[in-house]
């Protein structure tokens, strides 16, 4: 089942481009999803967990399922779980102008700083 789950998640990420998600990223924390007619149409999850904090990541909704409150429900549920275990949730936004910043601000988050991420591969 995990392989099929990862495949569905990667498909949704490929269609929505919320930021990086690798085949085993879902193993880093809780990932929640919403299905319609058996198809994954929205998801959000936890990724990085520096002491006292938990990143909310991979928040995305398929184009055909937008404007139904899926992202709000998913992020709200994850944030409540993070707070309940004593951490502070923080979302990350891959690119400004995607609507994500406005969503997070509606949920009470504020922009603290902009960060540039770089990835490198070694042989």
């Amino acid at each position: 089942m995990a392989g099929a789950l990862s495949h569905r998640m990667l498909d949704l990420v490929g269609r929505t481009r919320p930021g990086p998600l690798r085949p085993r990223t879902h193993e880093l924390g809780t990932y929640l999803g919403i299905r319609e007619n058996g198809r994954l149409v929205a998801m959000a999850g936890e990724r990085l967990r520096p002491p006292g904090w938990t990143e909310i990541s991979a928040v995305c909704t398929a184009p055909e399922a937008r404007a139904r409150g899926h992202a709000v429900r998913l992020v709200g549920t994850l944030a409540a779980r993070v707070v309940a275990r004593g951490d502070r949730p923080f979302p990350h936004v891959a690119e400004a102008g995607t609507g994500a910043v406005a969503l997070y601000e509606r949920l009470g988050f504020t922009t603290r700083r902009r960060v540039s991420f770089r990835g490198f591969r070694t042989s």
Side-chain angles (χ1 to χ4, degrees), residues 25-82:
T25 300
H26 67 280
E27 296 174 14
L28 296 174
T30 299
Y31 276 77
L32 303 176
I34 295 174
R35 294 179 191 210
E36 290 179 353
N37 299 318
R39 185 171 184 180
L40 183 65
V41 296
M43 73 173 188
E46 301 173 358
R47 193 170 62 163
L48 301 177
R49 291 187 65 187
W53 297 85
T54 300
E55 174 192 20
I56 295 178
S57 181
V59 179
C60 55
T61 303
E64 68 274 11
R66 291 190 177 144
R68 297 183 194 161
H70 294 328
V72 169
R73 281 193 297 282
L74 291 169
V75 172
T77 300
L78 282 170
R81 288 178 177 203
V82 169

Side-chain angles (χ1 to χ4, degrees), residues 69-115:
H70 294 328
V72 169
R73 281 193 297 282
L74 291 169
V75 172
T77 300
L78 282 170
R81 288 178 177 203
V82 169
V83 169
R85 72 171 174 254
D87 281 356
R88 291 180 64 187
F90 71 96
H92 108 250
V93 177
E95 295 180 38
T98 61
V101 173
L103 166 73
Y104 295 137
E105 287 175 346
R106 282 196 313 270
L107 291 170
F109 293 99
T110 59
T111 300
R112 292 180 54 132
R113 77 176 40 112
R114 297 189 190 287
V115 177

